[in-house]
Amino acid sequence: MNFNKNSIVLGTLLLKGPLTRQNLWSYVSRFNFYSGLTNLKMHLDRMVKERRITRKVSPSKTGGQEIFEFAIIKENERNNIPEVTLDKIKTEINEFDKLFEKK
């Protein structure tokens, strides 16, 4: 798998575990592959249909909108990510986490 939208989403979910759409956006937006959150939403919907990721719906704790939590399907053979690509993603995630910790 090349370094692209799929590998970024899959790699982030693999490294960070299940994430909400907003939290996932916080990580993947740094790679500049998505024009906005709506573009990410459409891509996630497609990946769910292709059975590359799962989407779990849980009620909001505040009584508002439902929360979608996404996770990688490890058994899907198309989800294998080369170590080189995973290392690039891991580096960006670590940089983001360092910035977040400072705030």
Side-chain angles (χ1 to χ4, degrees):
M1 176 182 297
N2 295 326
F3 189 71
N4 56 28
K5 287 181 178 184
N6 290 335
S7 64
I8 290 169
V9 169
L10 295 170
T12 302
L13 292 173
L14 183 65
L15 294 167
K16 298 302 286 182
L19 294 169
T20 63
R21 184 182 297 129
Q22 190 63 45
N23 290 342
L24 185 57
W25 171 250
S26 297
Y27 287 105
V28 302
S29 63
R30 296 176 52 85
F31 293 97
N32 297 319
F33 277 103
Y34 296 99
S35 59
L37 188 57
T38 303
N39 187 245
L40 173 64
K41 179 192 176 300
M42 291 186 305
H43 188 235
L44 293 174
D45 289 343
R46 193 189 88 238
M47 292 181 80
V48 168
K49 288 177 187 171
E50 293 173 353
R51 297 181 183 232
R52 298 188 76 181
I53 60 174
T54 61
R55 176 175 39 213
K56 177 181 151 191
V57 180
S58 43
S60 172
K61 294 177 184 173
T62 60
Q65 280 187 319
E66 295 175 327
I67 298 171
F68 294 102
E69 190 171 77
F70 297 89
I72 187 171
I73 298 175
K74 294 178 183 174
E75 296 80 28
N76 188 329
E77 61 189 40
R78 291 180 60 203
N79 287 350
N80 293 332
I81 303 170
E83 284 299 317
V84 174
T85 303
L86 199 55
D87 287 342
K88 284 183 185 178
I89 296 166
K90 190 175 193 174
T91 301
E92 277 296 317
I93 287 173
N94 290 339
E95 289 296 316
F96 178 78
D97 286 342
K98 285 179 189 174
L99 289 172
F100 188 69
E101 288 173 2
K102 290 180 182 177
K103 290 184 179 180

